[in-house]
Amino acid sequence: MTYKILVIGACGQIGSELTQKLRIIYGADNVIASDIKAPKEVSGPFEYLDVLDKEQIEVVIKKYDISDVYLMAAMLSVTAENFPDSAWDLNVNSLLNILSLAKQKKIRKVFWPSSIAAFGKNTPKELTPQYTVMEPSTVYGISKQTGERWCEYFHERYGVDVRSIRYPGLISWSTPPGGGTTDYAVDIFYKALESGHYECFLSADTKMPMMYMEDAVDATINIMEAPKEKIKIRSSYNLSAISFTPSEIANEIRKYLPEFVISYLPDFRQKIADSWPSSIDDDRAREDWGWSHKFNLESMTRDVLKNLDKKCS
Ligand code: NAD
């Protein structure tokens, strides 16, 4: 049986690469991309869809006989601090719309991403455990922590098959990031190639958990493909690959671009970064559904520079 997939927020940093990979695996016609903005390129069916409009979601679900939903629409950490009301509305009510459709059995399975932002300044910073103190201090983090509770609640109370990962900062070269605190780790590559200089909005030694997009997309599809009984955590799984500081990634880039210069001018984003973990313990994801990452700092840097060089030339 072929399941039909709906990706909501398919034009974003993750959604665009996730949609491409899902189309390779399941066939272009079985993966419906949707967003409130137009796609850069059309590689299969696309619908304009506002995730806050539940009736419109139902129409699309019916039209394509959708079984699985990947809910990628959200307002990210930095933007959310500027628009707290609409961030809360989008981040929480989008999830409640989808979970309630799953509760009514109109959807079979849901993926919804949480974030390391769900942790807070009283969380142990190194190798942050799966279960620990979570006191997020940003509206984005509070919305993710709330979302985790709703996912678990809908699973426990109504048997909804919802699966989730706490993504670390994600690094990609094909689609620009959407206003998060870890965006520096993408911008740095563009600036290194364009001008040979990057002014970083975080301090040199701010260590944060990060992951290459290819690994993040694989993790997302793997957790959705895992047999139901293997998914033992229904709030959200810790997920980890690499942790590095701005100065460490700059050193890695210098191996290929020796003239590259980085300077540091921390701004308000430093406070957000300081409230997040430095590294993550993701043993449960590895044990329960077999997660493992492929890219480390060296192989990721090599791959990003190679692809950006091709893209820009
Ligand atoms: P993004 O901002 O790049 O993309 C979000 C997409 O959602 C955009 O294309 C936007 O147009 C769309 N969207 C916004 N409002 C919408 C609405 N009302 N209806 C339909 N679509 C709407 O975000 P991303 O980086 O791709 O993140 C995807 C998910 O992953 C989010 O839940 C985010 O919190 C989470 N996440 C991302 C990162 C990261 O580093 N990128 C890290 C942790 C968690």
Side-chain angles (χ1 to χ4, degrees), residues 8-15 34-37 49-52 71-76 90 112-116 140 144 166-171 176-179 182-183 213:
I8 302 177
C11 299
Q13 189 197 8
I14 307 173
S34 71
D35 205 294
I36 45 166
K37 67 181 186 201
L49 177 64
D50 181 351
V51 70
L52 293 176
L71 172 53
M72 310 310 286
M75 198 184 288
L76 301 202
L90 176 61
W112 170 82
S114 185
S115 157
I116 53 164
Y140 176 69
K144 290 298 185 186
R166 291 173 182 149
Y167 288 135
L170 300 183
I171 296 159
T182 52
D183 289 6
M213 186 60 82

Side-chain angles (χ1 to χ4, degrees), residues 21-79:
K21 186 77 185 267
L22 288 169
R23 283 184 169 152
I24 291 169
I25 299 173
Y26 301 108
D29 288 344
N30 294 318
V31 180
I32 318 309
S34 71
D35 205 294
I36 45 166
K37 67 181 186 201
K40 268 196 306 191
E41 55 193 71
V42 179
S43 59
F46 178 84
E47 291 281 336
Y48 284 99
L49 177 64
D50 181 351
V51 70
L52 293 176
D53 185 340
K54 201 169 159 196
E55 277 175 27
Q56 208 192 349
I57 305 172
E58 282 203 66
V59 169
V60 172
I61 285 174
K62 255 205 181 133
K63 177 173 169 190
Y64 293 96
D65 197 17
I66 296 294
S67 58
D68 300 357
V69 172
Y70 290 75
L71 172 53
M72 310 310 286
M75 198 184 288
L76 301 202
S77 57
V78 174
T79 319

